[in-house]
Amino acid sequence: MQVAVYPGSFDPCTNGHLDIISRASRLFEKVVVAVLINDKKHPAFTLEERVEMLKAATCHLSNVEIISFSGLLADFMRQHGYSVIVKGLRAVSDFEYEFQMALTNQALNDKIETVFIPSSSEFMFLSSSIVKEVAKYNGDLSALVPKELVPKIMNRFGKEK
Ligand code: COA
């Protein structure tokens, strides 16, 4: 079975992530969304919350599985016998970092191939940080995140919506 692993911190999941997940789910037999710890970040949502939010946002996609993992992505891939990583590319500015990650993962595990999917144009500006910034100031999240996640995100920042 051709499986793609889509890793990220998803703090929180956005419509941009969902765009990549749903398009990958049409290209691969199964998509494993791996919620990983990024040591450089201090998440607003726990690992369990991020997994739950992704499950709610992808429940209509039958070949998508959500898991969490700590450690090196290359080790996770080896442990499960997976070889394809999917990443979204929003702009040229993403490329340098993503290229470095792809080469690092391949150096750690030479079976890994990284496949880049270009972001849909309407989500090019989007990031998890942008979502948190808008929520902090009680802005409208309806175009930025899956609708079922709006109350949870607003509540985290002390706003009822
Ligand atoms: N739409 C919207 N936003 C997107 C997006 C898309 N298609 N693609 C990326 N983003 C956003 C993310 O939400 C994130 O936003 P933020 O910085 O505001 O949180 C930002 O773009 C960067 O995304 P990404 O580069 O995927 O970083 P990440 O923190 O989500 O995930 C890991 C990085 C977890 C995949 C990476 O750190 C990792 O693999 N860690 C495990 C340890 C390891 O193996 N390291 C590599 C060897 S050193």
Side-chain angles (χ1 to χ4, degrees), residues 13-50:
C13 161
T14 71
N15 280 339
H17 295 128
L18 196 56
D19 168 50
I20 301 296
I21 294 168
S22 52
R23 287 163 61 207
S25 77
R26 294 198 290 270
L27 295 173
F28 295 92
E29 288 172 82
K30 182 175 167 185
V31 177
V32 175
V33 180
V35 186
L36 292 170
I37 294 162
N38 186 339
D39 286 337
K40 296 182 202 85
K41 294 181 178 172
H42 303 286
F45 298 93
T46 66
L47 213 49
E48 292 73 25
E49 287 174 318
R50 288 179 267 154

PDB file of all heavy atoms in Angstrom, residues 13-50:
ATOM      1  N   CYS A  13      -4.266  22.931  13.546  1.00  0.00           N
ATOM      2  CA  CYS A  13      -4.509  22.597  12.134  1.00  0.00           C
ATOM      3  C   CYS A  13      -5.257  23.763  11.470  1.00  0.00           C
ATOM      4  O   CYS A  13      -6.139  24.370  12.074  1.00  0.00           O
ATOM      5  CB  CYS A  13      -5.357  21.331  12.121  1.00  0.00           C
ATOM      6  SG  CYS A  13      -6.232  20.980  10.602  1.00  0.00           S
ATOM      7  N   THR A  14      -4.872  24.081  10.232  1.00  0.00           N
ATOM      8  CA  THR A  14      -5.514  25.177   9.492  1.00  0.00           C
ATOM      9  C   THR A  14      -6.149  24.640   8.209  1.00  0.00           C
ATOM     10  O   THR A  14      -5.915  23.484   7.834  1.00  0.00           O
ATOM     11  CB  THR A  14      -4.481  26.255   9.079  1.00  0.00           C
ATOM     12  OG1 THR A  14      -3.656  25.688   8.054  1.00  0.00           O
ATOM     13  CG2 THR A  14      -3.616  26.699  10.250  1.00  0.00           C
ATOM     14  N   ASN A  15      -6.861  25.521   7.510  1.00  0.00           N
ATOM     15  CA  ASN A  15      -7.409  25.118   6.204  1.00  0.00           C
ATOM     16  C   ASN A  15      -6.284  24.812   5.215  1.00  0.00           C
ATOM     17  O   ASN A  15      -6.475  24.038   4.281  1.00  0.00           O
ATOM     18  CB  ASN A  15      -8.303  26.229   5.646  1.00  0.00           C
ATOM     19  CG  ASN A  15      -9.679  26.215   6.277  1.00  0.00           C
ATOM     20  OD1 ASN A  15     -10.102  25.199   6.824  1.00  0.00           O
ATOM     21  ND2 ASN A  15     -10.372  27.340   6.222  1.00  0.00           N
ATOM     22  N   GLY A  16      -5.130  25.428   5.412  1.00  0.00           N
ATOM     23  CA  GLY A  16      -3.977  25.137   4.546  1.00  0.00           C
ATOM     24  C   GLY A  16      -3.498  23.706   4.733  1.00  0.00           C
ATOM     25  O   GLY A  16      -3.184  23.006   3.767  1.00  0.00           O
ATOM     26  N   HIS A  17      -3.448  23.258   5.991  1.00  0.00           N
ATOM     27  CA  HIS A  17      -3.074  21.856   6.245  1.00  0.00           C
ATOM     28  C   HIS A  17      -4.111  20.911   5.631  1.00  0.00           C
ATOM     29  O   HIS A  17      -3.766  19.907   5.017  1.00  0.00           O
ATOM     30  CB  HIS A  17      -2.991  21.587   7.754  1.00  0.00           C
ATOM     31  CG  HIS A  17      -1.900  22.332   8.463  1.00  0.00           C
ATOM     32  ND1 HIS A  17      -2.119  23.096   9.579  1.00  0.00           N
ATOM     33  CD2 HIS A  17      -0.564  22.423   8.215  1.00  0.00           C
ATOM     34  CE1 HIS A  17      -0.985  23.623   9.985  1.00  0.00           C
ATOM     35  NE2 HIS A  17      -0.026  23.240   9.183  1.00  0.00           N
ATOM     36  N   LEU A  18      -5.394  21.271   5.850  1.00  0.00           N
ATOM     37  CA  LEU A  18      -6.466  20.403   5.349  1.00  0.00           C
ATOM     38  C   LEU A  18      -6.414  20.304   3.812  1.00  0.00           C
ATOM     39  O   LEU A  18      -6.672  19.232   3.246  1.00  0.00           O
ATOM     40  CB  LEU A  18      -7.824  20.953   5.808  1.00  0.00           C
ATOM     41  CG  LEU A  18      -8.994  19.998   5.703  1.00  0.00           C
ATOM     42  CD1 LEU A  18      -8.746  18.706   6.465  1.00  0.00           C
ATOM     43  CD2 LEU A  18     -10.264  20.684   6.223  1.00  0.00           C
ATOM     44  N   ASP A  19      -6.051  21.395   3.163  1.00  0.00           N
ATOM     45  CA  ASP A  19      -5.877  21.406   1.705  1.00  0.00           C
ATOM     46  C   ASP A  19      -4.826  20.353   1.300  1.00  0.00           C
ATOM     47  O   ASP A  19      -5.063  19.527   0.408  1.00  0.00           O
ATOM     48  CB  ASP A  19      -5.429  22.831   1.303  1.00  0.00           C
ATOM     49  CG  ASP A  19      -4.933  22.946  -0.119  1.00  0.00           C
ATOM     50  OD1 ASP A  19      -5.629  22.480  -1.027  1.00  0.00           O
ATOM     51  OD2 ASP A  19      -3.834  23.524  -0.324  1.00  0.00           O
ATOM     52  N   ILE A  20      -3.689  20.355   1.990  1.00  0.00           N
ATOM     53  CA  ILE A  20      -2.617  19.396   1.641  1.00  0.00           C
ATOM     54  C   ILE A  20      -3.063  17.965   1.972  1.00  0.00           C
ATOM     55  O   ILE A  20      -2.863  17.041   1.171  1.00  0.00           O
ATOM     56  CB  ILE A  20      -1.308  19.732   2.403  1.00  0.00           C
ATOM     57  CG1 ILE A  20      -0.821  21.159   2.080  1.00  0.00           C
ATOM     58  CG2 ILE A  20      -0.221  18.692   2.089  1.00  0.00           C
ATOM     59  CD1 ILE A  20      -0.426  21.407   0.644  1.00  0.00           C
ATOM     60  N   ILE A  21      -3.709  17.773   3.132  1.00  0.00           N
ATOM     61  CA  ILE A  21      -4.137  16.420   3.533  1.00  0.00           C
ATOM     62  C   ILE A  21      -5.144  15.867   2.524  1.00  0.00           C
ATOM     63  O   ILE A  21      -5.026  14.726   2.075  1.00  0.00           O
ATOM     64  CB  ILE A  21      -4.764  16.441   4.949  1.00  0.00           C
ATOM     65  CG1 ILE A  21      -3.719  16.808   5.999  1.00  0.00           C
ATOM     66  CG2 ILE A  21      -5.395  15.087   5.276  1.00  0.00           C
ATOM     67  CD1 ILE A  21      -4.296  17.140   7.390  1.00  0.00           C
ATOM     68  N   SER A  22      -6.118  16.685   2.147  1.00  0.00           N
ATOM     69  CA  SER A  22      -7.152  16.131   1.255  1.00  0.00           C
ATOM     70  C   SER A  22      -6.593  15.870  -0.138  1.00  0.00           C
ATOM     71  O   SER A  22      -6.957  14.872  -0.774  1.00  0.00           O
ATOM     72  CB  SER A  22      -8.410  17.003   1.227  1.00  0.00           C
ATOM     73  OG  SER A  22      -8.081  18.305   0.947  1.00  0.00           O
ATOM     74  N   ARG A  23      -5.679  16.723  -0.611  1.00  0.00           N
ATOM     75  CA  ARG A  23      -5.094  16.458  -1.933  1.00  0.00           C
ATOM     76  C   ARG A  23      -4.168  15.244  -1.877  1.00  0.00           C
ATOM     77  O   ARG A  23      -4.165  14.418  -2.800  1.00  0.00           O
ATOM     78  CB  ARG A  23      -4.386  17.715  -2.436  1.00  0.00           C
ATOM     79  CG  ARG A  23      -5.433  18.767  -2.865  1.00  0.00           C
ATOM     80  CD  ARG A  23      -4.862  20.157  -2.978  1.00  0.00           C
ATOM     81  NE  ARG A  23      -3.825  20.247  -3.951  1.00  0.00           N
ATOM     82  CZ  ARG A  23      -2.821  21.153  -3.900  1.00  0.00           C
ATOM     83  NH1 ARG A  23      -2.756  22.023  -2.905  1.00  0.00           N
ATOM     84  NH2 ARG A  23      -1.921  21.179  -4.842  1.00  0.00           N
ATOM     85  N   ALA A  24      -3.419  15.090  -0.787  1.00  0.00           N
ATOM     86  CA  ALA A  24      -2.555  13.897  -0.645  1.00  0.00           C
ATOM     87  C   ALA A  24      -3.412  12.632  -0.562  1.00  0.00           C
ATOM     88  O   ALA A  24      -3.019  11.574  -1.072  1.00  0.00           O
ATOM     89  CB  ALA A  24      -1.681  14.035   0.603  1.00  0.00           C
ATOM     90  N   SER A  25      -4.594  12.738   0.052  1.00  0.00           N
ATOM     91  CA  SER A  25      -5.447  11.549   0.201  1.00  0.00           C
ATOM     92  C   SER A  25      -5.980  11.063  -1.147  1.00  0.00           C
ATOM     93  O   SER A  25      -6.421   9.925  -1.265  1.00  0.00           O
ATOM     94  CB  SER A  25      -6.597  11.820   1.178  1.00  0.00           C
ATOM     95  OG  SER A  25      -7.597  12.589   0.551  1.00  0.00           O
ATOM     96  N   ARG A  26      -5.928  11.948  -2.163  1.00  0.00           N
ATOM     97  CA  ARG A  26      -6.336  11.513  -3.508  1.00  0.00           C
ATOM     98  C   ARG A  26      -5.164  10.906  -4.271  1.00  0.00           C
ATOM     99  O   ARG A  26      -5.344  10.187  -5.240  1.00  0.00           O
ATOM    100  CB  ARG A  26      -6.914  12.712  -4.289  1.00  0.00           C
ATOM    101  CG  ARG A  26      -8.217  13.246  -3.683  1.00  0.00           C
ATOM    102  CD  ARG A  26      -9.009  14.102  -4.663  1.00  0.00           C
ATOM    103  NE  ARG A  26      -8.375  15.378  -4.942  1.00  0.00           N
ATOM    104  CZ  ARG A  26      -8.598  16.503  -4.240  1.00  0.00           C
ATOM    105  NH1 ARG A  26      -9.476  16.475  -3.245  1.00  0.00           N
ATOM    106  NH2 ARG A  26      -7.998  17.615  -4.549  1.00  0.00           N
ATOM    107  N   LEU A  27      -3.948  11.220  -3.835  1.00  0.00           N
ATOM    108  CA  LEU A  27      -2.754  10.720  -4.539  1.00  0.00           C
ATOM    109  C   LEU A  27      -2.232   9.404  -3.967  1.00  0.00           C
ATOM    110  O   LEU A  27      -1.576   8.640  -4.667  1.00  0.00           O
ATOM    111  CB  LEU A  27      -1.613  11.756  -4.440  1.00  0.00           C
ATOM    112  CG  LEU A  27      -1.822  13.098  -5.128  1.00  0.00           C
ATOM    113  CD1 LEU A  27      -0.681  14.051  -4.783  1.00  0.00           C
ATOM    114  CD2 LEU A  27      -1.889  12.891  -6.637  1.00  0.00           C
ATOM    115  N   PHE A  28      -2.478   9.198  -2.661  1.00  0.00           N
ATOM    116  CA  PHE A  28      -1.925   8.018  -1.983  1.00  0.00           C
ATOM    117  C   PHE A  28      -3.067   7.174  -1.421  1.00  0.00           C
ATOM    118  O   PHE A  28      -4.150   7.692  -1.135  1.00  0.00           O
ATOM    119  CB  PHE A  28      -0.991   8.464  -0.846  1.00  0.00           C
ATOM    120  CG  PHE A  28       0.229   9.195  -1.344  1.00  0.00           C
ATOM    121  CD1 PHE A  28       0.219  10.580  -1.457  1.00  0.00           C
ATOM    122  CD2 PHE A  28       1.370   8.508  -1.730  1.00  0.00           C
ATOM    123  CE1 PHE A  28       1.327  11.269  -1.938  1.00  0.00           C
ATOM    124  CE2 PHE A  28       2.484   9.187  -2.209  1.00  0.00           C
ATOM    125  CZ  PHE A  28       2.467  10.567  -2.312  1.00  0.00           C
ATOM    126  N   GLU A  29      -2.771   5.880  -1.245  1.00  0.00           N
ATOM    127  CA  GLU A  29      -3.826   4.990  -0.714  1.00  0.00           C
ATOM    128  C   GLU A  29      -4.146   5.329   0.738  1.00  0.00           C
ATOM    129  O   GLU A  29      -5.273   5.166   1.188  1.00  0.00           O
ATOM    130  CB  GLU A  29      -3.384   3.535  -0.827  1.00  0.00           C
ATOM    131  CG  GLU A  29      -3.397   3.041  -2.270  1.00  0.00           C
ATOM    132  CD  GLU A  29      -2.783   1.669  -2.400  1.00  0.00           C
ATOM    133  OE1 GLU A  29      -3.484   0.691  -2.146  1.00  0.00           O
ATOM    134  OE2 GLU A  29      -1.584   1.575  -2.731  1.00  0.00           O
ATOM    135  N   LYS A  30      -3.116   5.776   1.476  1.00  0.00           N
ATOM    136  CA  LYS A  30      -3.344   6.142   2.873  1.00  0.00           C
ATOM    137  C   LYS A  30      -2.453   7.338   3.225  1.00  0.00           C
ATOM    138  O   LYS A  30      -1.299   7.402   2.768  1.00  0.00           O
ATOM    139  CB  LYS A  30      -3.007   4.941   3.755  1.00  0.00           C
ATOM    140  CG  LYS A  30      -3.240   5.164   5.226  1.00  0.00           C
ATOM    141  CD  LYS A  30      -3.002   3.868   5.994  1.00  0.00           C
ATOM    142  CE  LYS A  30      -2.926   4.117   7.475  1.00  0.00           C
ATOM    143  NZ  LYS A  30      -2.580   2.915   8.218  1.00  0.00           N
ATOM    144  N   VAL A  31      -2.980   8.249   4.025  1.00  0.00           N
ATOM    145  CA  VAL A  31      -2.183   9.378   4.516  1.00  0.00           C
ATOM    146  C   VAL A  31      -2.139   9.300   6.043  1.00  0.00           C
ATOM    147  O   VAL A  31      -3.193   9.263   6.698  1.00  0.00           O
ATOM    148  CB  VAL A  31      -2.777  10.740   4.084  1.00  0.00           C
ATOM    149  CG1 VAL A  31      -1.960  11.897   4.666  1.00  0.00           C
ATOM    150  CG2 VAL A  31      -2.826  10.840   2.565  1.00  0.00           C
ATOM    151  N   VAL A  32      -0.928   9.239   6.579  1.00  0.00           N
ATOM    152  CA  VAL A  32      -0.749   9.249   8.030  1.00  0.00           C
ATOM    153  C   VAL A  32      -0.311  10.660   8.421  1.00  0.00           C
ATOM    154  O   VAL A  32       0.781  11.103   8.025  1.00  0.00           O
ATOM    155  CB  VAL A  32       0.312   8.217   8.467  1.00  0.00           C
ATOM    156  CG1 VAL A  32       0.576   8.320   9.968  1.00  0.00           C
ATOM    157  CG2 VAL A  32      -0.141   6.801   8.099  1.00  0.00           C
ATOM    158  N   VAL A  33      -1.164  11.375   9.140  1.00  0.00           N
ATOM    159  CA  VAL A  33      -0.807  12.720   9.606  1.00  0.00           C
ATOM    160  C   VAL A  33      -0.111  12.533  10.954  1.00  0.00           C
ATOM    161  O   VAL A  33      -0.708  12.042  11.914  1.00  0.00           O
ATOM    162  CB  VAL A  33      -2.056  13.608   9.746  1.00  0.00           C
ATOM    163  CG1 VAL A  33      -1.659  15.007  10.227  1.00  0.00           C
ATOM    164  CG2 VAL A  33      -2.797  13.686   8.416  1.00  0.00           C
ATOM    165  N   ALA A  34       1.172  12.896  11.005  1.00  0.00           N
ATOM    166  CA  ALA A  34       1.974  12.657  12.207  1.00  0.00           C
ATOM    167  C   ALA A  34       2.178  13.975  12.946  1.00  0.00           C
ATOM    168  O   ALA A  34       2.828  14.897  12.445  1.00  0.00           O
ATOM    169  CB  ALA A  34       3.331  12.049  11.825  1.00  0.00           C
ATOM    170  N   VAL A  35       1.572  14.059  14.129  1.00  0.00           N
ATOM    171  CA  VAL A  35       1.704  15.270  14.945  1.00  0.00           C
ATOM    172  C   VAL A  35       2.974  15.109  15.769  1.00  0.00           C
ATOM    173  O   VAL A  35       3.062  14.242  16.636  1.00  0.00           O
ATOM    174  CB  VAL A  35       0.479  15.457  15.854  1.00  0.00           C
ATOM    175  CG1 VAL A  35       0.569  16.792  16.587  1.00  0.00           C
ATOM    176  CG2 VAL A  35      -0.815  15.368  15.053  1.00  0.00           C
ATOM    177  N   LEU A  36       3.955  15.942  15.450  1.00  0.00           N
ATOM    178  CA  LEU A  36       5.275  15.795  16.054  1.00  0.00           C
ATOM    179  C   LEU A  36       5.601  16.990  16.933  1.00  0.00           C
ATOM    180  O   LEU A  36       5.030  18.065  16.788  1.00  0.00           O
ATOM    181  CB  LEU A  36       6.337  15.696  14.951  1.00  0.00           C
ATOM    182  CG  LEU A  36       6.302  14.428  14.103  1.00  0.00           C
ATOM    183  CD1 LEU A  36       7.232  14.574  12.918  1.00  0.00           C
ATOM    184  CD2 LEU A  36       6.708  13.226  14.924  1.00  0.00           C
ATOM    185  N   ILE A  37       6.533  16.769  17.829  1.00  0.00           N
ATOM    186  CA  ILE A  37       6.977  17.862  18.688  1.00  0.00           C
ATOM    187  C   ILE A  37       8.090  18.622  17.974  1.00  0.00           C
ATOM    188  O   ILE A  37       9.079  18.028  17.534  1.00  0.00           O
ATOM    189  CB  ILE A  37       7.474  17.303  20.033  1.00  0.00           C
ATOM    190  CG1 ILE A  37       6.285  16.694  20.775  1.00  0.00           C
ATOM    191  CG2 ILE A  37       8.153  18.385  20.860  1.00  0.00           C
ATOM    192  CD1 ILE A  37       6.666  15.740  21.880  1.00  0.00           C
ATOM    193  N   ASN A  38       7.876  19.927  17.808  1.00  0.00           N
ATOM    194  CA  ASN A  38       8.928  20.785  17.274  1.00  0.00           C
ATOM    195  C   ASN A  38       9.554  21.494  18.472  1.00  0.00           C
ATOM    196  O   ASN A  38       8.938  22.361  19.094  1.00  0.00           O
ATOM    197  CB  ASN A  38       8.328  21.798  16.282  1.00  0.00           C
ATOM    198  CG  ASN A  38       9.396  22.609  15.588  1.00  0.00           C
ATOM    199  OD1 ASN A  38      10.504  22.719  16.086  1.00  0.00           O
ATOM    200  ND2 ASN A  38       9.053  23.169  14.444  1.00  0.00           N
ATOM    201  N   ASP A  39      10.780  21.097  18.820  1.00  0.00           N
ATOM    202  CA  ASP A  39      11.447  21.594  20.035  1.00  0.00           C
ATOM    203  C   ASP A  39      11.597  23.113  20.059  1.00  0.00           C
ATOM    204  O   ASP A  39      11.763  23.709  21.111  1.00  0.00           O
ATOM    205  CB  ASP A  39      12.838  20.960  20.166  1.00  0.00           C
ATOM    206  CG  ASP A  39      12.731  19.509  20.602  1.00  0.00           C
ATOM    207  OD1 ASP A  39      11.701  19.157  21.192  1.00  0.00           O
ATOM    208  OD2 ASP A  39      13.683  18.747  20.328  1.00  0.00           O
ATOM    209  N   LYS A  40      11.544  23.726  18.871  1.00  0.00           N
ATOM    210  CA  LYS A  40      11.762  25.181  18.814  1.00  0.00           C
ATOM    211  C   LYS A  40      10.493  25.946  19.170  1.00  0.00           C
ATOM    212  O   LYS A  40      10.506  27.161  19.254  1.00  0.00           O
ATOM    213  CB  LYS A  40      12.225  25.571  17.407  1.00  0.00           C
ATOM    214  CG  LYS A  40      13.565  24.966  17.032  1.00  0.00           C
ATOM    215  CD  LYS A  40      13.991  25.435  15.634  1.00  0.00           C
ATOM    216  CE  LYS A  40      14.995  24.494  15.016  1.00  0.00           C
ATOM    217  NZ  LYS A  40      14.362  23.352  14.328  1.00  0.00           N
ATOM    218  N   LYS A  41       9.363  25.234  19.340  1.00  0.00           N
ATOM    219  CA  LYS A  41       8.083  25.932  19.546  1.00  0.00           C
ATOM    220  C   LYS A  41       7.471  25.608  20.898  1.00  0.00           C
ATOM    221  O   LYS A  41       7.702  24.543  21.449  1.00  0.00           O
ATOM    222  CB  LYS A  41       7.110  25.535  18.431  1.00  0.00           C
ATOM    223  CG  LYS A  41       7.552  26.019  17.059  1.00  0.00           C
ATOM    224  CD  LYS A  41       6.572  25.646  15.985  1.00  0.00           C
ATOM    225  CE  LYS A  41       7.031  26.185  14.632  1.00  0.00           C
ATOM    226  NZ  LYS A  41       6.205  25.685  13.528  1.00  0.00           N
ATOM    227  N   HIS A  42       6.681  26.547  21.406  1.00  0.00           N
ATOM    228  CA  HIS A  42       5.938  26.343  22.657  1.00  0.00           C
ATOM    229  C   HIS A  42       4.456  26.296  22.280  1.00  0.00           C
ATOM    230  O   HIS A  42       3.833  27.339  22.070  1.00  0.00           O
ATOM    231  CB  HIS A  42       6.221  27.488  23.636  1.00  0.00           C
ATOM    232  CG  HIS A  42       7.692  27.636  23.914  1.00  0.00           C
ATOM    233  ND1 HIS A  42       8.379  26.759  24.714  1.00  0.00           N
ATOM    234  CD2 HIS A  42       8.600  28.529  23.444  1.00  0.00           C
ATOM    235  CE1 HIS A  42       9.661  27.112  24.747  1.00  0.00           C
ATOM    236  NE2 HIS A  42       9.814  28.179  23.979  1.00  0.00           N
ATOM    237  N   PRO A  43       3.901  25.088  22.169  1.00  0.00           N
ATOM    238  CA  PRO A  43       2.546  24.975  21.622  1.00  0.00           C
ATOM    239  C   PRO A  43       1.459  25.546  22.517  1.00  0.00           C
ATOM    240  O   PRO A  43       1.569  25.532  23.743  1.00  0.00           O
ATOM    241  CB  PRO A  43       2.369  23.463  21.438  1.00  0.00           C
ATOM    242  CG  PRO A  43       3.385  22.830  22.316  1.00  0.00           C
ATOM    243  CD  PRO A  43       4.520  23.795  22.465  1.00  0.00           C
ATOM    244  N   ALA A  44       0.401  26.036  21.885  1.00  0.00           N
ATOM    245  CA  ALA A  44      -0.775  26.531  22.614  1.00  0.00           C
ATOM    246  C   ALA A  44      -1.709  25.374  22.952  1.00  0.00           C
ATOM    247  O   ALA A  44      -2.510  25.485  23.881  1.00  0.00           O
ATOM    248  CB  ALA A  44      -1.510  27.563  21.756  1.00  0.00           C
ATOM    249  N   PHE A  45      -1.622  24.285  22.184  1.00  0.00           N
ATOM    250  CA  PHE A  45      -2.504  23.136  22.382  1.00  0.00           C
ATOM    251  C   PHE A  45      -1.653  21.905  22.696  1.00  0.00           C
ATOM    252  O   PHE A  45      -0.560  21.740  22.148  1.00  0.00           O
ATOM    253  CB  PHE A  45      -3.341  22.883  21.114  1.00  0.00           C
ATOM    254  CG  PHE A  45      -4.250  24.020  20.770  1.00  0.00           C
ATOM    255  CD1 PHE A  45      -3.837  25.016  19.888  1.00  0.00           C
ATOM    256  CD2 PHE A  45      -5.505  24.129  21.344  1.00  0.00           C
ATOM    257  CE1 PHE A  45      -4.654  26.092  19.578  1.00  0.00           C
ATOM    258  CE2 PHE A  45      -6.344  25.196  21.045  1.00  0.00           C
ATOM    259  CZ  PHE A  45      -5.912  26.185  20.167  1.00  0.00           C
ATOM    260  N   THR A  46      -2.180  21.041  23.590  1.00  0.00           N
ATOM    261  CA  THR A  46      -1.444  19.816  23.917  1.00  0.00           C
ATOM    262  C   THR A  46      -1.429  18.896  22.690  1.00  0.00           C
ATOM    263  O   THR A  46      -2.230  19.054  21.753  1.00  0.00           O
ATOM    264  CB  THR A  46      -2.105  19.054  25.081  1.00  0.00           C
ATOM    265  OG1 THR A  46      -3.383  18.588  24.627  1.00  0.00           O
ATOM    266  CG2 THR A  46      -2.269  19.927  26.317  1.00  0.00           C
ATOM    267  N   LEU A  47      -0.547  17.916  22.747  1.00  0.00           N
ATOM    268  CA  LEU A  47      -0.467  16.934  21.665  1.00  0.00           C
ATOM    269  C   LEU A  47      -1.834  16.266  21.461  1.00  0.00           C
ATOM    270  O   LEU A  47      -2.295  16.103  20.325  1.00  0.00           O
ATOM    271  CB  LEU A  47       0.589  15.882  22.063  1.00  0.00           C
ATOM    272  CG  LEU A  47       1.429  15.224  20.975  1.00  0.00           C
ATOM    273  CD1 LEU A  47       2.038  16.234  20.035  1.00  0.00           C
ATOM    274  CD2 LEU A  47       2.510  14.360  21.615  1.00  0.00           C
ATOM    275  N   GLU A  48      -2.489  15.911  22.581  1.00  0.00           N
ATOM    276  CA  GLU A  48      -3.794  15.235  22.499  1.00  0.00           C
ATOM    277  C   GLU A  48      -4.836  16.152  21.850  1.00  0.00           C
ATOM    278  O   GLU A  48      -5.635  15.717  21.029  1.00  0.00           O
ATOM    279  CB  GLU A  48      -4.290  14.837  23.904  1.00  0.00           C
ATOM    280  CG  GLU A  48      -3.472  13.751  24.586  1.00  0.00           C
ATOM    281  CD  GLU A  48      -2.097  14.228  25.074  1.00  0.00           C
ATOM    282  OE1 GLU A  48      -1.945  15.443  25.327  1.00  0.00           O
ATOM    283  OE2 GLU A  48      -1.185  13.389  25.176  1.00  0.00           O
ATOM    284  N   GLU A  49      -4.814  17.431  22.205  1.00  0.00           N
ATOM    285  CA  GLU A  49      -5.774  18.374  21.614  1.00  0.00           C
ATOM    286  C   GLU A  49      -5.544  18.520  20.110  1.00  0.00           C
ATOM    287  O   GLU A  49      -6.486  18.578  19.316  1.00  0.00           O
ATOM    288  CB  GLU A  49      -5.656  19.746  22.280  1.00  0.00           C
ATOM    289  CG  GLU A  49      -6.216  19.796  23.685  1.00  0.00           C
ATOM    290  CD  GLU A  49      -5.940  21.129  24.369  1.00  0.00           C
ATOM    291  OE1 GLU A  49      -4.818  21.675  24.243  1.00  0.00           O
ATOM    292  OE2 GLU A  49      -6.852  21.620  25.062  1.00  0.00           O
ATOM    293  N   ARG A  50      -4.267  18.569  19.721  1.00  0.00           N
ATOM    294  CA  ARG A  50      -3.958  18.731  18.298  1.00  0.00           C
ATOM    295  C   ARG A  50      -4.403  17.505  17.505  1.00  0.00           C
ATOM    296  O   ARG A  50      -4.935  17.625  16.397  1.00  0.00           O
ATOM    297  CB  ARG A  50      -2.468  19.008  18.113  1.00  0.00           C
ATOM    298  CG  ARG A  50      -2.104  20.415  18.572  1.00  0.00           C
ATOM    299  CD  ARG A  50      -0.643  20.690  18.407  1.00  0.00           C
ATOM    300  NE  ARG A  50       0.120  20.389  19.599  1.00  0.00           N
ATOM    301  CZ  ARG A  50       1.402  20.061  19.612  1.00  0.00           C
ATOM    302  NH1 ARG A  50       2.075  19.974  18.488  1.00  0.00           N
ATOM    303  NH2 ARG A  50       2.028  19.829  20.747  1.00  0.00           N
TER     304      ARG A  50
END
